[in-house]
Amino acid sequence: MVVFTMLDLTINWLPSINVMFLFRFLVGLTVPILLGNSFNLCMEICELRYRSVYGILSGLPWALATAAYGVVAYFIRDWRWLQFTLALQCIVYLPAMWFLDESPRWLAVNGHTKRALAILRSAERLNKSTLPSDEHLLSVLVSTHESSVGFGETKKTKIQLLTREISSLFHTAIRARVLIMWFMFIVAMMIYYGLSMAPVSYNVNPFMYMFLTGLMELPAYSLPAPIISRWGRRWPTALSYATSGVALLALAWTPSQIVWLVMTLAMVGKLCISMAFQIVYLFSVELLPTEIRTTGLGSMVFVSRFGAIVTPFITDTLRSLVPWAPSLLFGALSIVAVPLCLRLPETKSKPVPDTIKELAEQKKKWQERDENLLQKR
């Protein structure tokens, strides 16, 4: 957060465009770390019964900021002062970093059991609740560490541990999940930013368009909470991708002169892809075990940036050649994500695994259960 704030405040006053690009690149490197780690931390300390609600509502500040960005940009037209004004708010959040505790789950998996115990006791006092004895909690924390893939590797270098975590993403118990989630993140990022950068292409007011897209994200980051609490993650995610795909395919064949219809289809597409994106964030956290959750979610946010990288070429270069092609491409990719999403296991009301070993055992039990059901039929 400190590096992000310093870069964001400095970038406005750099005299060279090349140095500015370098700083923008560095800012881009810090954003996935901030988003992924903060979401991971909150989800790992969240109670199971509140996980669905918080996993969705945590996106509301993003929606409000998007809508506010359109309003602020309308009054501050100089891009340097606009960037500087928005960057100033980061200073307000810096002191809060010193009051955050580390995730007890992560500490336990990595062998820091005493620190994890201290944080749990602190949470016990804060919430006026009662936890088991220190001996019982320590036995649970130690067993969690011993069952992790990285047991006995705490003395290795950070590079070696990171390499081990990255290679664990391709473990047979989790490889298919990771690859599917990578694709879903790329598609969601591509469509999200494709629609965010579309006001010029759709011949509409850019300030009003940004404000409206922010407003459309408010229901996208609130309505799914009761939906996924009742019907799970898989089908709401699949339906969000499907609806967005249908709206964008229809947009590809809608004449640009019919502004109200173009705006309606674009807003429906933005609403649904924002819903899908937020559920996918929650879904991925629940699908990944604690020992590689930070690395796994970080890898998904990282690969999703490839979707963001190619988006300007699609919305500008490709649209200049074939005006309807970007909407057609976005819609088709969104439809392709639907069957892939349905291949993922449902995670509703299920405890998140802490280790790959635990995940493999769960997967084995599910397979045995499905085989028994088939035999009974």
Side-chain angles (χ1 to χ4, degrees):
M1 186 68 183
V2 174
V3 175
F4 173 82
T5 302
M6 292 176 62
L7 291 172
D8 219 23
L9 289 170
T10 306
I11 196 172
N12 313 286
W13 316 111
L14 296 174
S16 170
I17 188 67
N18 293 326
V19 179
M20 189 178 297
F21 284 156
L22 174 61
F23 271 59
R24 290 297 298 178
F25 174 78
L26 295 175
V27 168
L29 290 178
T30 61
V31 171
I33 298 173
L34 288 173
L35 293 178
N37 286 353
S38 59
F39 190 79
N40 259 343
L41 176 60
C42 294
M43 292 306 298
E44 287 182 358
I45 63 175
C46 185
E47 283 190 58
L48 178 60
R49 55 179 173 168
Y50 298 129
R51 204 167 63 199
S52 298
V53 175
Y54 177 78
I56 299 301
L57 297 183
S58 62
L60 285 177
W62 180 283
L64 291 171
T66 301
Y69 190 62
V71 177
V72 175
Y74 179 81
F75 291 102
I76 305 178
R77 298 300 179 93
D78 184 275
W79 72 268
R80 290 183 183 273
W81 283 108
L82 174 63
Q83 178 72 20
F84 183 73
T85 302
L86 297 174
L88 281 176
Q89 62 183 317
C90 299
I91 300 177
V92 179
Y93 305 121
L94 285 178
M97 300 296 103
W98 277 265
F99 295 95
L100 289 177
D101 289 320
E102 185 55 82
S103 165
R105 282 179 175 271
W106 183 89
L107 290 172
V109 167
N110 287 274
H112 307 292
T113 52
K114 291 185 178 180
R115 284 183 61 193
L117 178 62
I119 292 174
L120 290 175
R121 288 303 180 197
S122 176
E124 178 186 31
R125 292 190 296 271
L126 182 64
N127 293 285
K128 298 180 180 180
S129 57
T130 303
L131 293 177
S133 64
D134 287 359
E135 292 75 12
H136 178 77
L137 289 176
L138 279 173
S139 65
V140 173
L141 295 171
V142 170
S143 64
T144 300
H145 170 57
E146 291 178 348
S147 63
S148 70
V149 172
F151 176 60
E153 296 184 350
T154 53
K155 293 184 179 180
K156 288 192 174 183
T157 66
K158 292 183 178 180
I159 297 297
Q160 289 174 315
L161 292 176
L162 180 59
T163 303
R164 189 264 301 171
E165 289 185 7
I166 293 175
S167 62
S168 297
L169 294 176
F170 299 95
H171 190 282
T172 53
I174 202 172
R175 181 172 54 223
R177 297 183 181 189
V178 171
L179 293 176
I180 291 174
M181 296 302 293
W182 278 359
F183 179 80
M184 293 173 65
F185 263 80
I186 290 173
V187 171
M189 182 67 73
M190 188 182 299
I191 297 174
Y192 180 89
Y193 282 111
L195 291 174
S196 297
M197 295 188 294
V200 176
S201 303
Y202 297 151
N203 297 319
V204 296
N205 186 297
F207 304 103
M208 180 60 69
Y209 185 87
M210 181 61 67
F211 177 72
L212 289 177
T213 56
L215 290 184
M216 292 305 295
E217 289 184 47
L218 289 175
Y221 299 146
S222 54
L223 291 179
I227 294 175
I228 67 173
S229 296
R230 182 177 179 84
W231 286 289
R233 282 62 162 145
R234 284 197 313 163
W235 280 104
T237 306
L239 289 174
S240 297
Y241 274 104
T243 307
S244 177
V246 171
L248 293 173
L249 290 175
L251 181 60
W253 308 109
T254 301
S256 59
Q257 293 80 7
I258 312 178
V259 178
W260 69 269
L261 184 56
V262 169
M263 285 288 292
T264 300
L265 292 173
M267 292 300 105
V268 170
K270 185 65 178 295
L271 169 66
C272 292
I273 204 60
S274 298
M275 290 176 62
F277 212 165
Q278 191 64 15
I279 302 175
V280 163
Y281 254 99
L282 171 62
F283 206 1
S284 63
V285 168
E286 295 177 333
L287 287 171
L288 295 171
T290 302
E291 64 179 340
I292 61 168
R293 185 171 295 122
T294 299
T295 303
L297 183 59
S299 72
M300 292 169 190
V301 176
F302 174 78
V303 299
S304 71
R305 265 37 192 183
F306 288 103
I309 289 172
V310 301
T311 296
F313 299 99
I314 296 173
T315 56
D316 295 337
T317 307
L318 183 59
R319 187 182 297 276
S320 64
L321 299 174
V322 185
W324 46 264
S327 297
L328 181 64
L329 177 60
F330 292 153
L333 289 173
S334 190
I335 295 297
V336 171
V338 174
L340 292 176
C341 176
L342 295 177
R343 288 178 58 87
L344 296 171
E346 182 55 67
T347 58
K348 175 180 174 290
S349 301
K350 294 180 180 178
V352 294
D354 285 319
T355 65
I356 292 180
K357 180 180 178 181
E358 181 183 339
L359 179 64
E361 291 174 353
Q362 284 184 358
K363 193 174 182 180
K364 185 177 180 180
K365 290 179 181 179
W366 293 341
Q367 290 175 344
E368 291 175 352
R369 180 196 62 187
D370 293 340
E371 290 175 359
N372 292 333
L373 290 174
L374 289 174
Q375 289 176 358
K376 290 180 180 180
R377 292 179 181 176

